[in-house]
Amino acid sequence: MKKTKSGKYIEWTPIFDIKNSGYFTGVDKDGNWFSDSAEGLKSLDEGGGIGILPILEMKRVEFDSYLDEKIKSSDLKPDLRLSELVDKIIRLSFGISTYWAELRIEWLNESEIDSDLKNKLKYLIENKEHSQSFRHKAFMKIKRYDRKTST
């Protein structure tokens, strides 16, 4: 049991130790994601998403493998609403800093793009705040997304 920022106690399973800080990102029995902080657990919607951005410093395959192992070694359901976690990481990373955006573009699969994210990527490409490499990768991912959605 751990106390949330709002003072409620929940049962949760810590999954990621954020940069070996002793603070974790984890999930409750219903598949809701939380990030540990000095204030208590924060849900992704309460700003807990910022605490999970260091996950992007893992390669996507390492993340998937690590998460599979954690799920197998606990009593967690295999369908942990991972799409919610990945979606939150995607959206946050493109809005926080160029560092996180550069890491995130490596993670992004075309299947995770929707029209809102496509527009965000187009904006990031056009404003040239990010590196040429980032802009090129974003452009290619949008192009592949467009090909898949036009068929």
Side-chain angles (χ1 to χ4, degrees):
M1 296 282 268
K2 185 101 182 190
K3 192 175 188 178
T4 64
K5 182 182 171 195
S6 61
K8 178 181 165 189
Y9 283 90
I10 63 165
E11 275 191 54
W12 80 307
T13 302
I15 305 255
F16 302 101
D17 185 351
I18 302 166
K19 293 192 166 222
N20 299 315
S21 65
Y23 289 113
F24 289 84
T25 295
V27 65
D28 71 7
K29 61 181 174 22
D30 297 322
N32 300 309
W33 287 91
F34 293 87
S35 188
D36 203 1
S37 73
E39 302 169 299
L41 294 179
K42 292 181 183 179
S43 74
L44 295 183
D45 297 327
E46 293 177 311
I50 300 294
I52 62 176
L53 286 178
I55 291 170
L56 291 173
E57 292 173 334
M58 300 172 87
K59 299 224 181 284
R60 180 72 183 255
V61 280
E62 291 170 358
F63 167 77
D64 292 340
S65 173
Y66 179 83
L67 194 54
D68 286 344
E69 285 300 312
K70 284 290 192 178
I71 292 169
K72 286 177 189 171
S73 67
S74 69
D75 60 352
L76 295 171
K77 298 176 202 168
D79 63 346
L80 286 176
R81 295 191 351 211
L82 294 176
S83 60
E84 176 187 346
L85 175 67
V86 170
D87 184 61
K88 192 62 154 185
I89 293 172
I90 290 169
R91 302 214 183 264
L92 279 170
S93 64
F94 290 133
I96 300 292
S97 72
T98 57
Y99 174 74
W100 296 118
E102 300 267 344
L103 290 174
R104 181 58 192 128
I105 200 69
E106 297 297 328
W107 266 50
L108 185 62
N109 294 322
E110 291 79 27
S111 62
E112 296 164 336
I113 297 175
D114 60 18
S115 62
D116 289 339
L117 185 56
K118 176 182 169 182
N119 290 335
K120 176 72 172 173
L121 290 172
K122 280 183 171 183
Y123 171 78
L124 294 174
I125 291 167
E126 291 167 4
N127 81 6
K128 298 185 179 181
E129 187 176 305
H130 298 288
S131 70
Q132 178 65 31
S133 172
F134 170 88
R135 295 190 319 265
H136 177 74
K137 289 173 187 172
F139 178 78
M140 294 308 295
K141 289 182 188 271
I142 289 171
K143 202 170 181 178
R144 282 188 224 116
Y145 165 78
D146 285 341
R147 269 190 248 140
K148 285 183 179 183
T149 56
S150 66
T151 54

